Amino acid sequence: MLKAKQMTRAVIVGHKSILEETVNSLHKTNLFQIEDYIEDDSDLKIGKPFGNISEISKKLIKIRSIGSLLGVKDTESQKQASDSLFVDLDNKLNTLDSEVNALAEKKSGLEAELKETESLKKELLPFANIDLSLDLYHGYENLAVFAGYVQENVESAISKITSSYELYYDPKAGVTVLFVAKEKAEEVSDTLAKALFKELRVPDVSGVPATILADIERKEADIGKRIEATDVEIESLNHKYADFILASNELLSIETQKSEAPLRIATTESTFVIEGWVPSENYNQLEQTVNSATDGRAFISSQEMTKEDEQKVPIEYDNPKVSAPFEEIMDLYARPRYKEIDPTTLIFISFPLFYGMILGDIGYALILLTLAFAIKKFVSSDAVKPLMNILIYCQISTFLFGILYGEFLGFPLASVHTDHGVVAGLIPGFETVELFASPIGGEIVTYPIHRTHLVMTLIVVTALIGVIHINIGYMLGFINENKKHGFMAALLEKGSWIVVELGILLAALGYVGMLPIAVGIIVFLIGFIMLVKGEGIKGPIELPALLSNSLSYTRLIAVGLSSIYIASTVNLIAFEMIWQPGTAIGVATIFAIVVFLFGHALNTVLSIIAPGLHSLRLQYVEFFGKFYEGGGRKYNPFGYIRKYTEEK
């Protein structure tokens, strides 16, 4: 907690004859992160893959392609033995490939046929209401044929040019088909151009368009049924082979990883050298596993970590299970560097706290809790579950603050006395209790706390929360700096900010007559000198950020108030619609319910986004900026977490 796992840099050396056994043992432990070897001028060269890697890769590509075509998804299934799966793999894969290819070709042919049919249908539709066989649109020596869109019926204009013509016009589609003598074709073309004539391609088929279209409709329906039947066959293959595909994909992925491992390892003609990282707590386990697999012929040793090593050591979180989901928030920003404080557990406390402080509504908390649990149950993705756990923590905080604020979907739970009378609460007999007068703005602190009546007080409270949060950041920065560069550097770079703040506080107390104001000024100047010495000119330039950072925390009240006002407005509109004079109760009630549901659904979405983003900003900008550097490399051990196969 508050720091990443301790890592050990290890080197494994042995004869090339035991390289494969060594790689297999490392893969099985899933503990050792191999550092890729980069060739230099030494005698060490990158190794060559084991076995027939090209054949394994081809099978892996094939099984993944089949899985994609069948739509196979990750599901819980009984694990299969690797040995027996290997025995049946080739025959089963060839059979499956043959069946899938046949269905894929069948479906592809049907889809191509359907596409051609739809294309022909699109060409025929403009001529649907013209009862004229398409054979008659072409093949003339002395006649010109014009077929296309026009703005209006052009028959009167054509009759002025020639009396020898045949014209068909569909006013609904704006399509005309005109037959005229070729010697009049140019004049007719000019006349049609004035009517914004747009030529249509005449489909190269025989028959009356309406009849052909009817046949096409029947053909489309038939093709659609055959495609559906093919999809059923594909789905049947999915059910039949899904477990085999998932297990084979896993097995071949593992074999590919192990076969390609030498491409990351330094070798000579007779030896190999593997460098990498292992969590210190697992070093003995790794050593025993490698020695057991190679009968003690591989030599493994831990290396002293240098300053350069600390810059590239991989980072593995070491947080309690309860706070582990917040590692997702850390990864969005950056993993901590080695020996740097890991603030995941601190975010586990502050992020839900700020979220709940902003939203603070029992109704929205219950809605979002239900949504989070439902998504966790029905979505099996490992990436989604931590996010839902974070949402659950946030809604627990929201529920508790909802009790403190006495709010349910924008309604007050307790009755409250105002200058305009008594506003009834949702719970009969539950009255607001006055506790004490706030020293700020003459506001009265009550239970439940009505945020809209304590705006000035809550602004000051949230700013003070910001001061506390920021100073926790400075203290963590002091610890980090002390680890890196010693106590004096930590005191000047981070401690100076706390001294400056103390000077401002003492000066404020002096201003109100509680202390000599000179004490505050002296302390402030001491802190200022320390700041300049520790951070140079950058320190004084950032001094105004102290105020802006603290005031940034007032969003905890501001964003919360916006949510209240949206919910209250939705409630007001909905209830006013129900009691609208002169409107039928049934109709008004339906519209009121629609407004109520839609308005609160929209506010629920905003209740996920706004509190989340603003809470995140307070962590990333105001808090992390005081102590956190980040940039650590993710720990990625050589191995595979099996879900569908097991070794016997």
Side-chain angles (χ1 to χ4, degrees):
M1 191 168 69
L2 293 183
K3 62 180 180 179
K5 280 187 178 181
Q6 296 298 299
M7 304 295 288
T8 295
R9 182 170 171 266
V11 176
I12 305 171
V13 181
H15 194 273
K16 280 181 81 171
S17 62
I18 60 167
L19 176 57
E20 191 163 355
E21 290 89 340
T22 305
V23 167
N24 288 339
S25 65
L26 292 177
H27 193 277
K28 188 174 182 179
T29 61
N30 195 30
L31 291 171
F32 189 69
Q33 176 168 322
I34 298 175
E35 284 295 309
D36 293 349
Y37 174 68
I38 300 173
E39 286 189 356
D40 51 25
D41 296 332
S42 67
D43 293 333
L44 293 170
K45 303 297 178 185
I46 293 173
K48 295 180 180 179
F50 299 133
N52 192 353
I53 182 61
S54 62
E55 192 64 30
I56 295 174
S57 298
K58 286 178 183 177
K59 291 177 184 178
L60 181 59
I61 291 170
K62 184 182 288 187
I63 201 74
R64 286 179 177 174
S65 175
I66 291 171
S68 175
L69 194 146
L70 295 181
V72 175
K73 297 180 180 178
D74 288 349
T75 54
E76 296 294 331
S77 64
Q78 189 173 0
K79 289 186 175 181
Q80 300 184 38
S82 298
D83 294 342
S84 59
L85 187 62
F86 251 131
V87 172
D88 299 332
L89 182 63
D90 287 343
N91 290 334
K92 217 167 184 179
L93 182 56
N94 289 334
T95 301
L96 175 59
D97 187 42
S98 176
E99 291 183 44
V100 169
N101 282 339
L103 286 175
E105 287 178 13
K106 181 180 177 181
K107 184 174 180 180
S108 178
L110 288 170
E111 288 176 341
E113 188 178 353
L114 182 61
K115 191 173 182 180
E116 288 177 9
T117 304
E118 289 174 345
S119 179
L120 177 58
K121 181 179 178 180
K122 188 176 180 181
E123 291 181 353
L124 283 167
L125 279 173
F127 303 98
N129 296 323
I130 296 178
D131 191 18
L132 185 68
S133 176
L134 293 169
D135 296 317
L136 302 175
Y137 282 66
H138 48 77
Y140 302 106
E141 290 185 8
N142 300 315
L143 286 179
V145 182
F146 296 90
Y149 292 107
V150 289
Q151 265 194 339
E152 57 188 15
N153 193 343
V154 295
E155 185 166 6
S156 60
I158 300 300
S159 64
K160 292 177 182 178
I161 298 172
T162 178
S163 58
S164 300
Y165 68 89
E166 190 73 29
L167 186 143
Y168 298 85
Y169 179 63
D170 176 12
K172 187 175 181 181
V175 173
T176 190
V177 178
L178 176 63
F179 299 83
V180 297
K182 279 194 175 179
E183 58 266 21
K184 298 293 183 179
E186 190 173 342
E187 289 182 69
V188 169
S189 178
D190 292 340
T191 301
L192 289 174
K194 294 175 183 177
L196 301 179
F197 176 77
K198 183 180 178 183
E199 187 176 7
L200 280 169
R201 179 184 177 276
V202 179
D204 189 17
V205 290
S206 299
V208 177
T211 306
I212 301 172
L213 283 169
D215 292 339
I216 287 175
E217 294 283 350
R218 288 189 290 271
K219 187 176 181 180
E220 281 182 333
D222 178 60
I223 295 172
K225 288 179 181 177
R226 284 191 284 164
I227 289 175
E228 287 178 7
T230 307
D231 285 336
V232 170
E233 291 183 67
I234 291 173
E235 186 63 27
S236 176
L237 281 183
N238 185 339
H239 289 304
K240 183 179 178 181
Y241 288 103
D243 289 348
F244 167 75
I245 291 170
L246 291 169
S248 299
N249 177 60
E250 181 172 280
L251 183 65
L252 291 169
S253 297
I254 290 170
E255 290 306 310
T256 300
Q257 278 186 346
K258 292 194 289 189
S259 297
E260 292 178 343
L263 297 173
R264 309 172 62 187
I265 296 171
T267 64
T268 65
E269 289 186 4
S270 57
T271 61
F272 68 84
V273 180
I274 309 175
E275 293 191 35
W277 302 90
V278 61
S280 300
E281 62 188 17
N282 301 119
Y283 177 80
N284 290 336
Q285 179 188 345
L286 179 72
E287 187 176 34
Q288 290 170 9
T289 304
V290 172
N291 285 335
S292 174
T294 61
D295 294 328
R297 290 183 293 161
F299 177 72
I300 178 170
S301 63
S302 60
Q303 306 294 305
E304 186 176 344
M305 194 179 297
T306 64
K307 286 288 184 182
E308 185 179 342
D309 289 334
E310 288 185 8
Q311 298 301 313
K312 60 182 181 180
V313 58
I315 304 301
E316 173 73 342
Y317 290 113
D318 189 20
N319 294 300
K321 188 176 180 180
V322 68
S323 63
F326 289 84
E327 292 168 2
E328 297 292 325
I329 289 179
M330 288 302 306
D331 283 342
L332 282 175
Y333 189 86
R335 288 202 172 205
R337 290 182 180 272
Y338 197 60
K339 293 187 177 180
E340 185 180 22
I341 287 176
D342 172 16
T344 303
T345 302
L346 299 175
I347 295 176
F348 162 67
I349 298 169
S350 60
F351 185 84
L353 180 69
F354 293 161
Y355 186 106
M357 197 179 298
I358 291 172
L359 186 53
D361 187 288
I362 295 172
Y364 291 124
L366 294 175
I367 291 170
L368 293 173
L369 265 176
T370 304
L371 180 66
F373 279 116
I375 292 174
K376 270 190 73 175
K377 181 176 177 62
F378 295 109
V379 178
S380 59
S381 170
D382 292 335
V384 171
K385 286 184 178 180
L387 299 177
M388 290 305 102
N389 286 332
I390 292 173
L391 187 58
I392 289 168
Y393 291 143
C394 290
Q395 298 321 311
I396 292 171
S397 174
T398 299
F399 185 85
L400 295 175
F401 274 99
I403 294 173
L404 182 64
Y405 297 151
E407 295 172 17
F408 186 94
L409 296 179
F411 294 105
L413 294 180
S415 301
V416 57
H417 294 269
T418 68
D419 295 336
H420 305 288
V422 178
V423 177
L426 287 180
I427 302 176
F430 184 23
E431 298 257 342
T432 299
V433 179
E434 294 187 0
L435 299 177
F436 56 88
S438 168
I440 302 156
E443 297 170 335
I444 303 298
V445 179
T446 62
Y447 177 76
I449 295 173
H450 295 281
R451 287 186 278 180
T452 54
H453 300 165
L454 277 174
V455 174
M456 292 305 300
T457 300
L458 290 176
I459 285 175
V460 173
V461 169
T462 52
L464 289 175
I465 290 172
V467 171
I468 294 169
H469 198 226
I470 287 168
N471 278 283
I472 291 173
Y474 281 131
M475 287 187 280
L476 295 175
F478 182 93
I479 296 170
N480 275 339
E481 203 61 34
N482 185 39
K483 287 180 180 178
K484 293 177 187 176
H485 304 114
F487 177 80
M488 187 54 65
L491 182 65
L492 293 175
E493 285 191 31
K494 301 299 178 181
S496 58
W497 287 98
I498 297 174
V499 175
V500 165
E501 290 179 81
L502 180 61
I504 293 172
L505 176 62
L506 293 175
L509 292 175
Y511 181 76
V512 296
M514 298 180 66
L515 286 172
I517 195 169
V519 174
I521 294 173
I522 291 170
V523 173
F524 175 82
L525 290 174
I526 292 171
F528 186 85
I529 293 168
M530 291 169 62
L531 185 61
V532 172
K533 192 170 182 181
E535 296 199 9
I537 192 64
K538 184 181 77 170
I541 291 174
E542 291 184 356
L543 264 178
L546 271 178
L547 179 61
S548 63
N549 286 346
S550 300
L551 292 178
S552 186
Y553 285 78
T554 59
R555 67 185 68 234
L556 295 174
I557 175 65
V559 179
L561 287 174
S562 68
S563 178
I564 294 173
Y565 288 129
I566 291 172
S568 301
T569 303
V570 169
N571 296 336
L572 182 64
I573 293 172
F575 279 88
E576 280 191 352
M577 288 178 71
I578 291 177
W579 306 112
Q580 187 71 32
T583 306
I585 296 297
V587 175
T589 301
I590 292 171
F591 278 108
I593 292 172
V594 170
V595 169
F596 185 85
L597 293 176
F598 178 78
H600 283 296
L602 178 62
N603 204 26
T604 300
V605 174
L606 294 176
S607 297
I608 298 174
I609 298 171
L613 286 178
H614 288 288
S615 299
L616 206 59
R617 180 207 151 81
L618 293 176
Q619 310 299 327
Y620 286 170
V621 180
E622 277 71 22
F623 187 49
F624 281 8
K626 305 300 176 285
F627 72 98
Y628 191 68
E629 183 178 354
R633 192 165 57 117
K634 184 179 180 181
Y635 170 61
N636 185 24
F638 176 65
Y640 200 102
I641 299 174
R642 294 175 181 261
K643 290 177 64 177
Y644 306 107
T645 61
E646 59 184 356
E647 290 184 303
K648 295 295 185 182

